[in-house]
Amino acid sequence: MKKLFYSLIILMAWLYGNAQSAAPNQEENTSLSTENNSKKDQSNIPEDLPWHGRRFKATAGVFFPSNNTEVEVNGSAGRIGTDIDFEKDLGFETNTVSFFGAFEWRASRRSRFNLEYFYLKRSSEKTLQKEIEFKDHTYPVDAQVSAFMNNEMVRFAYGYAIVSKPKYELGLLIGAHVLLADVGLRLEGVTAQAEYHDTVGFTAPLPDVGIWGEFVLGKKVGLYANVNYFALQIDDIDGRIISYNLSVLYNVYKNLSLTAGYTGLNFRLDVTRPKIDGFFKWGYNGPTLAATYSFGNHVKFYKH
């Protein structure tokens, strides 16, 4: 992940340098009126990149993540739970398909607010190859079990553009990923009396900070990248998160664009509380395909 972080920084720096070198130089003999006009709001020309720099942007798409999940839930009276690999030990599919949605509001030229939502529901049935301690029950070898995991991820973020030009922007992000998770195991007995199950649900908010860059590569093509990281330890909660995204946008018609990208997240939470004691580790990464609709007034950009 550190290599990815550094790579994105280098990519943004390279694109920023190219954008600067490609910017047109003012002619020496330009009149005062022409110079003043070059500093005017670029959004006064709606035909100039009409898909770029709008106040509002709504996105909906499909995500194809590859998952890696580990969970350990301790029981009462010091009962130590098993570190469970959900893909290996419980037969969960590694590659899945889900959907996501996002909404962006550009409050000003430099400030933007983002809301993102991602949902993934998985389940499996498995004959255990090892004994599992989960919460207050033991699931023995060769037992037939069913398991489920429902994850919802909500992300709030505020972005500030340190560099804001008509064709490239670079800035900082601060926000939080909020994970809502439900996890459960059930032993499938021959009779109802032989069955038992355990479920755990929790909400885990983790703040993060990061960097982002947005570049207009042509009349209809744009590039966006961001990377976020944070680690936090407070009393009985220890969590850390790293996420990233790289996507290319193609403007199909007026305010409608299509995006193709690659995104990922690695999340770990250790909790010691009366209702839940253990850790949750979830990582996913994969390609995305989405449609974006932009609307509202154009944001005011300045060349100077």
Side-chain angles (χ1 to χ4, degrees), residues 170-208:
L170 295 172
L172 300 177
L173 282 170
I174 182 170
H177 285 78
V178 181
L179 175 65
L180 300 91
D182 288 300
V183 182
L185 280 179
R186 175 186 293 274
L187 177 69
E188 304 291 350
V190 178
T191 64
Q193 291 75 18
E195 293 184 357
Y196 52 81
H197 69 276
D198 296 283
T199 59
V200 176
F202 61 90
T203 300
L206 271 182
D208 55 46

Side-chain angles (χ1 to χ4, degrees), residues 48-292:
D48 183 19
L49 302 175
W51 56 271
H52 177 62
R54 305 299 289 268
R55 286 292 181 187
F56 304 101
K57 184 186 298 182
T59 301
V62 183
F63 185 29
F64 305 91
S66 176
N67 298 270
N68 180 20
T69 314
E70 291 184 41
V71 175
E72 177 185 303
V73 180
N74 300 322
S76 58
R79 189 183 185 119
I80 304 300
T82 303
D83 183 349
I84 309 170
D85 185 318
F86 270 51
E87 287 75 32
K88 180 180 179 181
D89 299 331
L90 297 180
F92 276 64
E93 292 289 338
T94 299
N95 299 310
T96 53
V97 180
S98 186
F99 74 92
F100 70 95
F103 185 81
E104 178 181 281
W105 170 41
R106 299 193 62 147
S108 67
R109 179 168 64 100
R110 295 187 183 272
S111 295
R112 61 178 68 189
F113 295 88
N114 294 88
L115 174 64
E116 300 175 11
Y117 178 79
F118 166 68
Y119 177 74
L120 181 62
K121 180 178 180 180
R122 295 189 292 163
S123 62
S124 71
E125 294 185 356
K126 175 80 170 180
T127 301
L128 295 182
Q129 303 299 309
K130 73 175 187 179
E131 183 178 272
I132 289 178
E133 297 283 347
F134 186 79
K135 208 170 180 180
D136 287 323
H137 285 116
T138 299
Y139 295 80
V141 176
D142 294 329
Q144 183 70 25
V145 300
S146 58
F148 74 89
M149 175 175 289
N150 299 330
N151 294 331
E152 293 180 84
M153 183 71 75
V154 182
R155 180 177 182 244
F156 307 91
Y158 167 72
Y160 181 80
I162 297 175
V163 178
S164 180
K165 301 295 182 180
K167 294 189 177 182
Y168 55 93
E169 295 180 272
L170 295 172
L172 300 177
L173 282 170
I174 182 170
H177 285 78
V178 181
L179 175 65
L180 300 91
D182 288 300
V183 182
L185 280 179
R186 175 186 293 274
L187 177 69
E188 304 291 350
V190 178
T191 64
Q193 291 75 18
E195 293 184 357
Y196 52 81
H197 69 276
D198 296 283
T199 59
V200 176
F202 61 90
T203 300
L206 271 182
D208 55 46
V209 294
I211 58 174
W212 63 272
E214 190 167 359
F215 308 89
V216 177
L217 304 181
K219 271 284 189 181
K220 289 181 173 290
V221 182
L223 175 70
Y224 177 82
N226 75 65
V227 60
N228 308 273
Y229 175 80
F230 203 78
L232 177 68
Q233 183 173 3
I234 300 178
D235 297 330
D236 51 7
I237 298 178
D238 182 9
R240 51 192 175 273
I241 184 172
I242 182 169
S243 64
Y244 58 90
N245 176 55
L246 178 66
S247 58
V248 177
L249 177 147
Y250 180 77
N251 180 236
V252 178
Y253 180 72
K254 292 185 177 180
N255 299 334
L256 180 64
S257 302
L258 298 179
T259 63
Y262 194 86
T263 188
L265 176 145
N266 282 280
F267 183 107
R268 174 167 177 140
L269 184 71
D270 293 82
V271 182
T272 305
R273 286 184 171 180
K275 291 185 178 181
I276 177 173
D277 180 8
F279 81 84
F280 181 86
K281 180 181 177 182
W282 181 34
Y284 64 78
N285 59 83
T288 61
L289 295 173
T292 297

